[in-house]
Amino acid sequence: MPASRSKSKRGAEQPQQSPSDLKSSEVDDPIPPSSLPQTTLKAVELLVLAAIYSPVSQLTLSPVYGSIPSAIHHHRLMMSAVVLGWIAKNRMRLYLPTYLANILPLLAFSIPVIQYYLFSYSGRLGSFYGPLVTEAVTYFPLVVLSVSSAGILLEAVDLGHYGQRIRYAVPAILSYTIFSATENASTYFIKQYIGSSPILTRMGLQHVLATFLALLLPSRLLILAPLPILHSTLLNVHMPLDLTTSRLNSTLHQSGFAIVDRRESSTGYLAVIDNLKDGFRVMRCDHSLLGGEWFKSYQGHASAIKEPIYSVFVMLEAVRLVETKSMNQLPEIPDNQRNALVIGLGIGTTPSALVAHGVQTTIVEIDPVVYDLASKYFALPKNHTSIIADARAFVVRAQISGWQHYSYDYIIHDVFTGGAEPVELFTQEFLLGLKDLLKSDGVIAINYAGDLLLPSASTIVHTVLSTFPSCRLFREDESPAGFSDSESTAERDFTNMVMFCRKTTEAFGFRGIVESDCLGTQARRYHLYPKHEVLPEYFFKNGHEVHVLREGLTSSLNAYQQRSASEHWNIMRTVLPDSVWENW
């Protein structure tokens, strides 16, 4: 009788469980202590792989949307995915039809396929929504599933005897620390070594990360993995293989273009592209162009160098035309007794012209791939001095060495790339360094590309005018709406502008051009002499609060850089068709 009551009592203490309770209890089965180190290591590996994918995801977007637009939403989207993945892990494991982490490898192999098809809608999505939509259906779910899976695995680590706060807080804090540290480290590493091998390319890294996930999380779902892998190796033109490159050219031929060469580097995705119909060649960097020239020859137009397609690079050569009253009283110094420093190579339009005039020219270019492509496909002359280095580091070394070793008659500052100016090369500290390298009667030409009505342009102009005693500013085209520069009421004014400056307060002008200045090119006949002067008042008429741009204090320009990059993106879509930008 007592035994019967005991049995009945025990039965009353064990009510029937619902299906969801059963599923939860199956997932929460305790992990043997001997497996805890392996379980913890697997959780860490999931977090590390998801974090490494962060810079890779941005890199795959940059050829289609540009590096700056691709980064606008990225951090917030990534952090939202981390938080959601951690908070929702218990709910997700109840309702997903399979073990959560098993989905990850197949998703990772499928991401390049999803991106490939989404990129074809970039013209409709635009530079603001395009990156957001693409990462929302690729990187966002990858991070959510990775963090959720890692969180579930870390629950096996029993910290309950330290208290409930420690039990829940420590795994979350450690997970965030691991994720954040790995993301920062991988961003730096990938930037240094991108393009150095087929594995260290955008597509290569995506497939390496997917392979690691497959090895970490083997499951029956991987039987489907050959499908996206075959698509990437046979059909995806972004894969740097001979077969896919041939398919890329077949696609571009339909729009009248052809890929001559393509590579990846720290600067971005680089490609040399020919327009087969109109007869010009350009060098592409992500969603921007570093320059171009005509290769179609016209009867009766022989030239010493090829015709450039952009007038602003020609206008930079007007440093040779600068004259003052005091200079006119001195004997003229021939070009072969002058020297020049060019910061930023592009395709080499300006340095090639300086070399053709006999000027001893030194080129400082941070990207060896840009230098190689300019030499191989744009006939960059060999009789110059090349320095592959960060311009800031070079200027510091030159200042330490002294003017006896480094001083120049002309300095060309032309560093626009990726849709916006690198603001660290417009700080007063860097400009003062260039000023130190300029001879007393020398001239510096600073190219600025951006929306001249934005406060960022006003700040940079103010910084230049605060550094050099005498400057004149010229845009490559007329002021918008046909008004004078001081009266223009346009809402947007994206253009190229060249600021010519000297170290002395003496006023200067430009001598008239002669035929030898033109090197036989029509572009120089029409665009070498600066025509459209911009008065400083144009930049300060809107009451923008301006300041001198200082090193380490450039974050105030970030929002304006994003807007300028977005405007540049729209302009680039009018220069080349969508299909050229989307198929990289």
Side-chain angles (χ1 to χ4, degrees):
M1 196 62 182
S4 175
R5 282 197 300 271
S6 177
K7 182 177 181 180
S8 175
K9 189 174 182 179
R10 285 197 301 270
E13 291 173 350
Q14 298 177 6
Q16 186 176 0
Q17 293 178 305
S18 67
S20 62
D21 292 332
L22 288 171
K23 191 172 184 180
S24 179
S25 65
E26 290 173 3
V27 177
D28 289 333
D29 285 342
I31 296 175
S34 60
S35 301
L36 285 179
Q38 294 179 350
T39 302
T40 305
L41 179 60
K42 181 178 286 190
V44 171
E45 289 171 335
L46 283 171
L47 294 171
V48 166
L49 291 174
I52 294 174
Y53 213 111
S54 172
V56 175
S57 179
Q58 285 191 274
L59 284 172
T60 56
L61 295 176
S62 64
V64 181
Y65 295 108
S67 59
I68 294 177
S70 298
I72 292 175
H73 306 289
H74 177 79
H75 185 75
R76 287 192 294 269
L77 195 72
M78 179 180 66
M79 287 296 101
S80 299
V82 170
V83 173
L84 178 62
W86 190 266
I87 293 175
K89 60 182 181 298
N90 293 322
R91 284 287 180 186
M92 293 178 66
R93 65 180 174 178
L94 289 177
Y95 296 110
L96 285 177
T98 184
Y99 176 49
L100 195 61
N102 289 348
I103 306 172
L104 276 168
L106 185 60
L107 172 61
F109 279 119
S110 301
I111 284 178
V113 181
I114 298 171
Q115 291 172 335
Y116 174 79
Y117 288 107
L118 278 179
F119 285 159
S120 63
Y121 295 94
S122 66
R124 279 175 270 184
L125 292 170
S127 63
F128 184 83
Y129 291 107
L132 177 62
V133 171
T134 305
E135 288 204 305
V137 297
T138 55
Y139 185 56
F140 183 84
L142 181 83
V143 175
V144 170
L145 291 175
S146 298
V147 173
S148 294
S149 301
I152 292 170
L153 292 169
L154 288 174
E155 284 183 349
V157 180
D158 185 12
L159 299 175
H161 53 285
Y162 292 107
Q164 291 301 308
R165 289 185 178 180
I166 298 295
R167 177 185 178 187
Y168 292 112
V170 169
I173 294 172
L174 287 177
S175 296
Y176 175 79
T177 302
I178 291 169
F179 187 96
S180 180
T182 303
E183 197 244 349
N184 290 331
S186 60
T187 299
Y188 174 81
F189 176 85
I190 291 173
K191 182 176 177 60
Q192 299 299 314
Y193 297 100
I194 185 74
S196 58
S197 73
I199 291 177
L200 290 172
T201 59
R202 287 158 170 80
M203 293 293 289
L205 286 167
Q206 283 185 308
H207 285 83
V208 166
L209 291 171
T211 301
F212 274 117
L213 282 170
L215 294 173
L216 181 64
L217 304 165
S219 74
R220 293 179 180 178
L221 287 176
L222 286 175
I223 196 172
L224 300 174
L227 295 176
I229 294 173
L230 283 173
H231 180 276
S232 293
T233 54
L234 299 177
L235 301 176
N236 196 330
V237 298
H238 308 145
M239 181 71 81
L241 302 173
D242 291 340
L243 179 62
T244 50
T245 300
S246 177
R247 180 177 173 81
L248 172 60
N249 261 326
S250 298
T251 302
L252 293 181
H253 282 167
Q254 298 174 17
S255 303
F257 291 84
I259 285 281
V260 180
D261 199 350
R262 60 173 175 169
R263 305 185 201 173
E264 298 183 33
S265 74
S266 59
T267 301
Y269 166 78
L270 296 165
V272 178
I273 304 173
D274 283 350
N275 181 312
L276 304 176
K277 178 182 177 181
D278 297 325
F280 64 81
R281 171 174 290 178
V282 295
M283 187 191 297
R284 169 186 178 177
C285 177
D286 279 344
H287 200 278
S288 182
L289 298 177
L290 298 185
E293 62 187 22
W294 299 95
F295 61 77
K296 182 182 287 186
S297 59
Y298 296 92
Q299 188 174 3
H301 287 87
S303 59
I305 57 178
K306 291 186 177 181
E307 293 270 3
I309 65 173
Y310 293 113
S311 60
V312 66
F313 301 119
V314 170
M315 189 163 51
L316 288 167
E317 301 165 26
V319 290
R320 297 179 53 255
L321 308 181
V322 169
E323 63 178 6
T324 64
K325 288 184 178 180
S326 59
M327 291 168 62
N328 290 333
Q329 296 173 2
L330 300 173
E332 183 178 355
I333 301 175
D335 282 329
N336 60 10
Q337 294 182 25
R338 292 189 179 273
N339 62 354
L341 172 66
V342 179
I343 305 292
L345 174 59
I347 69 166
T349 299
T350 303
S352 294
L354 293 173
V355 170
H357 285 299
V359 179
Q360 302 171 48
T361 304
T362 298
I363 300 170
V364 178
E365 169 58 48
I366 193 172
D367 192 340
V369 181
V370 169
Y371 182 84
D372 185 53
L373 293 176
S375 302
K376 188 173 182 180
Y377 299 108
F378 295 92
L380 181 68
K382 295 181 179 180
N383 51 332
H384 67 270
T385 300
S386 62
I387 298 174
I388 307 300
D390 185 299
R392 290 174 296 177
F394 166 79
V395 169
V396 170
R397 290 198 305 268
Q399 285 180 285
I400 294 173
S401 299
W403 64 267
Q404 300 93 334
H405 299 93
Y406 295 97
S407 60
Y408 301 94
D409 297 286
Y410 311 125
I411 295 179
I412 308 296
H413 180 294
D414 183 20
V415 293
F416 180 85
T417 183
E421 302 282 4
V423 292
E424 62 273 10
L425 298 185
F426 284 86
T427 62
Q428 189 170 57
E429 288 81 357
F430 182 73
L431 294 176
L432 285 172
L434 293 181
K435 184 180 178 182
D436 286 345
L437 303 185
L438 195 63
K439 292 181 180 179
S440 58
D441 59 347
V443 183
I444 182 172
I446 303 171
N447 182 27
Y448 177 81
D451 190 338
L452 303 189
L453 297 180
L454 290 179
S456 53
S458 303
T459 295
I460 288 175
V461 168
H462 178 65
T463 303
V464 172
L465 296 179
S466 299
T467 305
F468 295 95
S470 178
C471 294
R472 294 183 67 181
L473 289 56
F474 294 86
R475 55 188 300 142
E476 67 174 335
D477 50 15
E478 293 184 3
S479 181
F483 297 116
S484 68
D485 289 323
S486 61
E487 299 173 350
S488 175
T489 57
E491 295 181 359
R492 183 176 70 87
D493 187 13
F494 196 103
T495 189
N496 282 90
M497 175 181 66
V498 178
M499 297 173 270
F500 296 94
C501 300
R502 301 185 70 245
K503 295 177 71 169
T504 66
T505 57
E506 185 180 13
F508 64 89
F510 300 88
R511 66 169 175 79
I513 63 172
V514 296
E515 186 57 32
S516 60
D517 294 322
C518 303
L519 299 172
T521 64
Q522 295 284 22
R524 289 174 176 83
R525 291 188 180 96
Y526 292 110
H527 302 295
L528 173 59
Y529 193 90
K531 299 181 182 68
H532 309 293
E533 187 162 9
V534 186
L535 300 178
E537 292 79 13
Y538 182 69
F539 298 94
F540 312 117
K541 63 175 183 170
N542 293 327
H544 295 150
E545 182 178 345
V546 298
H547 59 278
V548 173
L549 196 62
R550 304 303 298 266
E551 189 174 316
L553 300 174
T554 61
S555 59
S556 61
L557 301 188
N558 288 347
Y560 305 114
Q561 290 286 87
Q562 292 174 2
R563 177 176 165 182
S564 186
S566 179
E567 292 177 5
H568 177 75
W569 187 91
N570 293 326
I571 293 172
M572 288 294 99
R573 286 299 171 114
T574 66
V575 175
L576 298 178
D578 289 349
S579 59
V580 175
W581 297 113
E582 293 163 352
N583 293 283
W584 48 272

